[in-house]
Amino acid sequence: MASEGVAELRDWLFLLMLCLTLLAEVLEIAAATGYDQEGDPVCPSVCRCDEDFIYCNDRGLSSIPPLPPSATVLYLQNNHIDNAGLPTSLERQLTIRVVYLYDNELDDFPMHLPPSLRELHLQDNNIRTLPRATLARMPLLEKLHLDDNSVSTVSIEDQAFVDNPRLRLLFLSRNHLSSIPSGLPASLEELRLDDNRISTIPTHAFRGLSSLRRLVLDGNLLANQRIADDTFSRLSNLTELSLVRNSLLTPPLNLPSTHLQRLSLQDNALIHIPRGSLDGMRRLQRLDLSGNNLTTLPRGLFKDLDNLGQLLVRGNPWHCGCNLRWLHDWLHARGNSITVRGLTCQGPDKVRDMALKDLTSQMEECEVPGIVAVGAGAGVGATGSETRDRGGGAEVGGVAASSTTLAPPQGSLFTLRSKRPGLGLPDSGLDYTLGSSGVGKSLALNVKPLTPDSIRVTWSVAQPTSSFRLSWLRLGTSAAMGSITETLVRGDRREYLLTSLHPRSSYIICMVPLAASSRGKGAMAGGNTDSDEAPVCAKAETSDPSQPDVGQEDNQDPEHMATLPLAGIIGGATAIVSLALIVAVFCWYRLRAGRLSSRDHYSRGSSRKSKHCNDYIESGTKKDTTILEIRGPGFQMTPMVTHQPLQPMPLREDYIIHTIFPSNGTGLYKGAHQVSNAGYGTNRGYREGGIPDIDYCYT
């Protein structure tokens, strides 16, 4: 009985051990598959879990492993996950809020994402399309990052974001967009479209985006003529606008001003900023104008920028004359409340590489008497309001200052005036069917186009004057489409060059002499101002750059014409010397060729039996122990007795003459490094070539 009990106990123990082994195997398999005892997934073995954060990034995964039900943030970036690697069970994970899937191998917008998703990162994939149905599965989506993909304008389905009413941030940088996507949600607050191919922005591009606060359009193909006037005015709540690395010549019209805090216009082609471009921007804190072609800024440009804290203007060719006296005073008035970077003068030469803020002594010399300038809506010769100019130009009638040249004009230090479109042409009663010259009471004006973007202006006066006011007007398609630009020119000048003009454009250029003010040093006799004399006007038209400049010879300056005789003399002498050298070389060549031909003729034509010693001496065949190179059929002479001491020249010597036939007319000489083959052209293989081996003796 005892033995039977022991055997039964042993069997029970064996069964117990077997059950425990099977249970351990089951638990191990469950752990390997990511499920706990209740059948719920646990942290995948290839990932790292920190509470609700699942870190599966940089694991080389091609698919998403089973995830625990409590996961809220998934880090799946830098893997090899494609669209087939997204399980359908993922859309049942209703606790997931953020998914990082950037730098994977997705070709299409991922499906089966959980509807609870708030933030989705899909950068650095190859996504081409944005279907509306897929985006509609995520109605709570707030942030969508699609940078560095292959999305084009036509691949975004119409009204693709209509089912995403909470979308606040959309990044589409570095894609293939050629225009602003349509149908963007009204909830959008930040839109990044930098480094695309956007070249045109129509008026309706940002319609309905009243909540947009940050807009980035850097690195596109934007130019002023392809941006509608009211494009940005609809963005009333915009706080940051970035237009870096485009092709803008001036800031876009009607920029939003109420809430704008940061304006970035660096690395464009800005040559001028009209006064009024920054009006109303009382909250602007940072203005970046770096990397442009600005030489000056109009007076009053910063009149509303009371909160400006950063002004970045490096990389511009600033001309620090009296035209920037107002800016110098404005900077000193602001003191330490503003940080300025890059306001370094490039001209004039005496202040080159100096900071504008340090030119106090130079700016104190800019006090000039009042100037009569053109009032708003007045004609070119109309009397304007008299103002005192401390900055190199007059501020008249509230008209914005402008500049049409890249470099400062050649006249006095200046601030230029421009009429806004719609004010009408100056002096509407004037007949503008003008010629290239005009004559007034005391001034004769002549204009001549030089290049497609420049016009030369010359004039003469009957009596001296203190200065001239030069105005030029570009005519548009209608009488309301012109803009007047004017400057002051010193009284001792008699010519002026207008540059950086528009090709294929008509310009009316007017000039009027200005008399010295009674407050100046010594008023001129007569004391007449420009209001007493009508302006003299002429018309010129710039040429088409694609057409050759037919009249280039006519546009030469008198100084250049005066140098033509001297240039002709030098050129003629050079030609004669060159011709003489050519003739000399030709004659030398003919003489040398004649000598060679006569030498060959003598060798070939003379009878070998009738030759005597003096003939060979004349032809250069003096007795020598070396072989003679002859370029035609000739002779080789060798002494009959060799290896003997040098003896006085006997009266009689015997020679053996071998006929030498060069191969193909070439010389017989071979360098020491070359190996000669038996055959023609060698002095030991001519027998094999069929040449007679007959020795002739001559005494």
Side-chain angles (χ1 to χ4, degrees):
M1 293 293 295
S3 59
E4 293 178 0
V6 173
E8 186 176 358
L9 180 60
R10 184 179 56 194
D11 295 339
W12 281 107
L13 289 174
F14 176 76
L15 292 175
L16 180 60
M17 292 296 296
L18 182 60
C19 293
L20 292 175
T21 303
L22 293 176
L23 180 60
E25 292 291 336
V26 170
L27 293 177
E28 184 177 354
I29 294 173
T33 56
Y35 291 88
D36 58 12
Q37 294 86 344
E38 298 180 358
D40 296 327
V42 295
C43 183
S45 59
V46 295
C47 304
R48 181 177 64 86
C49 301
D50 186 2
E51 295 183 353
D52 299 335
F53 293 79
I54 313 300
Y55 297 92
C56 298
N57 53 296
D58 301 282
R59 300 295 199 276
L61 301 177
S62 59
S63 61
I64 300 177
L67 303 171
S70 61
T72 59
V73 181
L74 302 182
Y75 293 93
L76 297 166
Q77 69 270 19
N78 299 325
N79 282 293
H80 304 290
I81 301 173
D82 55 11
N83 291 88
L86 300 175
T88 58
S89 60
L90 192 60
E91 60 185 351
R92 295 192 292 270
Q93 301 282 134
L94 302 181
T95 59
I96 296 178
R97 299 290 186 269
V98 183
V99 173
Y100 292 89
L101 270 170
Y102 62 84
D103 198 8
N104 277 282
E105 299 177 4
L106 300 173
D107 292 325
D108 298 305
F109 197 91
M111 300 181 64
H112 310 302
L113 294 176
S116 58
L117 203 60
R118 262 71 165 181
E119 185 174 343
L120 179 58
H121 293 258
L122 296 172
Q123 307 96 296
D124 291 295
N125 281 281
N126 194 32
I127 298 173
R128 299 183 179 87
T129 60
L130 295 182
R132 174 179 174 179
T134 305
L135 288 168
R137 297 171 178 265
M138 299 174 288
L140 304 179
L141 190 63
E142 298 177 359
K143 299 180 181 180
L144 179 57
H145 297 260
L146 285 166
D147 313 74
D148 298 285
N149 279 281
S150 302
V151 179
S152 62
T153 303
V154 297
S155 66
I156 301 177
E157 189 175 340
D158 190 29
Q159 301 296 321
F161 302 99
V162 70
D163 297 315
N164 304 101
R166 296 190 180 187
L167 189 63
R168 296 185 295 106
L169 183 146
L170 178 60
F171 284 9
L172 283 167
S173 306
R174 294 174 296 279
N175 278 276
H176 302 156
L177 300 176
S178 58
S179 61
I180 307 295
S182 60
L184 297 175
S187 58
L188 206 59
E189 297 179 3
E190 183 173 355
L191 178 61
R192 292 192 61 115
L193 301 172
D194 46 306
D195 294 299
N196 279 280
R197 305 170 185 172
I198 300 173
S199 59
T200 304
I201 304 181
T203 304
H204 57 78
F206 302 113
R207 181 177 298 168
L209 300 182
S210 57
S211 300
L212 194 64
R213 302 178 62 84
R214 187 168 187 256
L215 177 61
V216 180
L217 292 168
D218 301 349
N220 281 282
L221 307 174
L222 297 175
N224 291 89
Q225 61 269 27
R226 295 192 290 269
I227 301 177
D229 292 348
D230 297 330
T231 294
F232 299 105
S233 62
R234 302 173 181 271
L235 305 175
S236 56
N237 290 313
L238 199 67
T239 60
E240 181 176 349
L241 176 62
S242 184
L243 293 167
V244 180
R245 291 182 288 111
N246 281 281
S247 302
L248 301 175
L249 297 177
T250 61
L253 298 176
N254 302 322
L255 292 176
S257 58
T258 307
H259 300 284
L260 197 63
Q261 298 177 5
R262 299 168 67 91
L263 178 60
S264 300
L265 296 171
Q266 64 265 34
D267 297 323
N268 278 274
L270 299 181
I271 60 174
H272 168 59
I273 299 182
R275 183 188 173 191
S277 299
L278 308 178
D279 285 357
M281 298 185 184
R282 304 186 185 277
R283 298 187 181 183
L284 192 66
Q285 300 174 3
R286 187 179 188 273
L287 175 62
D288 196 339
L289 300 173
S290 305
N292 286 286
N293 295 319
L294 296 171
T295 59
T296 186
L297 295 174
R299 171 187 287 269
L301 179 66
F302 298 158
K303 66 177 183 177
D304 292 334
L305 306 186
D306 299 331
N307 292 316
L308 189 66
Q310 282 185 296
L311 178 61
L312 309 177
V313 292
R314 60 171 56 92
N316 286 282
W318 296 112
H319 184 82
C320 299
C322 295
N323 52 309
L324 291 179
R325 169 65 186 269
W326 73 270
L327 182 57
H328 172 271
D329 296 341
W330 184 82
L331 292 175
H332 277 275
R334 292 294 305 273
N336 295 329
S337 63
I338 184 171
T339 301
V340 182
R341 294 286 184 269
L343 194 50
T344 304
C345 304
Q346 299 299 319
D349 292 337
K350 63 180 181 179
V351 296
R352 184 181 298 274
D353 297 328
M354 295 178 63
L356 177 66
K357 201 172 183 179
D358 299 335
L359 302 182
T360 302
S361 59
Q362 290 84 350
M363 291 300 172
E364 289 176 352
E365 302 174 0
C366 290
E367 195 101 16
V368 296
I371 302 173
V372 178
V374 180
V380 172
T383 303
S385 58
E386 181 174 337
T387 60
R388 185 169 182 81
D389 180 20
R390 296 178 57 89
E395 178 180 341
V396 182
V399 180
S402 68
S403 170
T404 59
T405 59
L406 288 174
Q410 303 172 16
S412 63
L413 298 172
F414 66 102
T415 297
L416 300 175
R417 302 281 160 238
S418 171
K419 284 183 179 291
R420 296 183 183 276
L423 293 179
L425 293 174
D427 198 354
S428 58
L430 184 65
D431 182 9
Y432 283 107
T433 57
L434 301 173
S436 61
S437 61
V439 180
K441 183 168 60 176
S442 61
L443 184 143
L445 180 68
N446 184 60
V447 297
K448 181 179 293 185
L450 295 181
T451 64
D453 62 350
S454 65
I455 296 176
R456 180 170 174 262
V457 183
T458 57
W459 63 91
S460 60
V461 290
Q463 58 184 2
T465 183
S466 61
S467 60
F468 302 93
R469 189 181 70 219
L470 177 64
S471 306
W472 60 96
L473 167 68
R474 181 193 176 204
L475 297 181
T477 56
S478 67
M481 289 300 292
S483 62
I484 302 174
T485 311
E486 63 183 32
T487 186
L488 294 179
V489 185
R490 297 195 310 269
D492 58 346
R493 298 292 299 265
R494 291 298 180 267
E495 65 175 349
Y496 195 91
L497 182 63
L498 304 180
T499 59
S500 298
L501 303 178
H502 294 268
R504 296 178 298 177
S505 300
S506 298
Y507 285 87
I508 294 178
I509 302 168
C510 299
M511 175 172 279
V512 62
L514 300 177
S517 174
S518 59
R519 289 174 292 179
K521 295 182 179 180
M524 291 179 55
N528 293 334
T529 63
D530 59 332
S531 60
D532 296 328
E533 183 173 348
V536 178
C537 298
K539 185 177 180 181
E541 185 171 346
T542 54
S543 60
D544 189 347
S546 62
Q547 298 296 328
D549 190 3
V550 179
Q552 184 176 3
E553 295 180 358
D554 299 335
N555 294 333
Q556 297 293 333
D557 292 336
E559 294 83 2
H560 298 165
M561 300 296 294
T563 61
L564 289 180
L566 180 59
I569 294 173
I570 296 175
T574 304
I576 292 173
V577 172
S578 302
L579 183 61
L581 290 175
I582 294 173
V583 171
V585 171
F586 179 77
C587 293
W588 173 82
Y589 178 80
R590 295 289 300 171
L591 180 61
R592 181 175 180 274
R595 289 179 178 177
L596 292 177
S597 61
S598 63
R599 190 179 301 174
D600 294 342
H601 175 73
Y602 184 86
S603 300
R604 290 191 297 266
S606 299
S607 173
R608 286 174 292 188
K609 295 183 179 181
S610 63
K611 290 185 184 292
H612 46 80
C613 184
N614 292 334
D615 294 333
Y616 288 106
I617 293 175
E618 289 180 2
S619 61
T621 56
K622 289 183 68 176
K623 184 180 73 173
D624 197 356
T625 58
T626 60
I627 189 168
L628 177 67
E629 176 186 355
I630 304 177
R631 296 191 177 274
F635 305 95
Q636 176 186 359
M637 299 185 299
T638 58
M640 296 181 62
V641 180
T642 59
H643 305 295
Q644 292 185 2
L646 186 63
Q647 301 292 335
M649 178 177 293
L651 297 176
R652 177 190 180 105
E653 283 190 354
D654 295 331
Y655 294 90
I656 297 177
I657 302 176
H658 297 284
T659 306
I660 301 175
F661 294 88
S663 60
N664 298 326
T666 60
L668 300 175
Y669 179 76
K670 300 289 183 179
H673 61 281
Q674 296 176 347
V675 179
S676 299
N677 297 324
Y680 296 114
T682 63
N683 65 350
R684 66 172 183 171
Y686 57 86
R687 293 180 177 86
E688 289 83 353
I691 300 174
D693 187 12
I694 301 176
D695 294 337
Y696 296 92
C697 180
Y698 173 76
T699 302

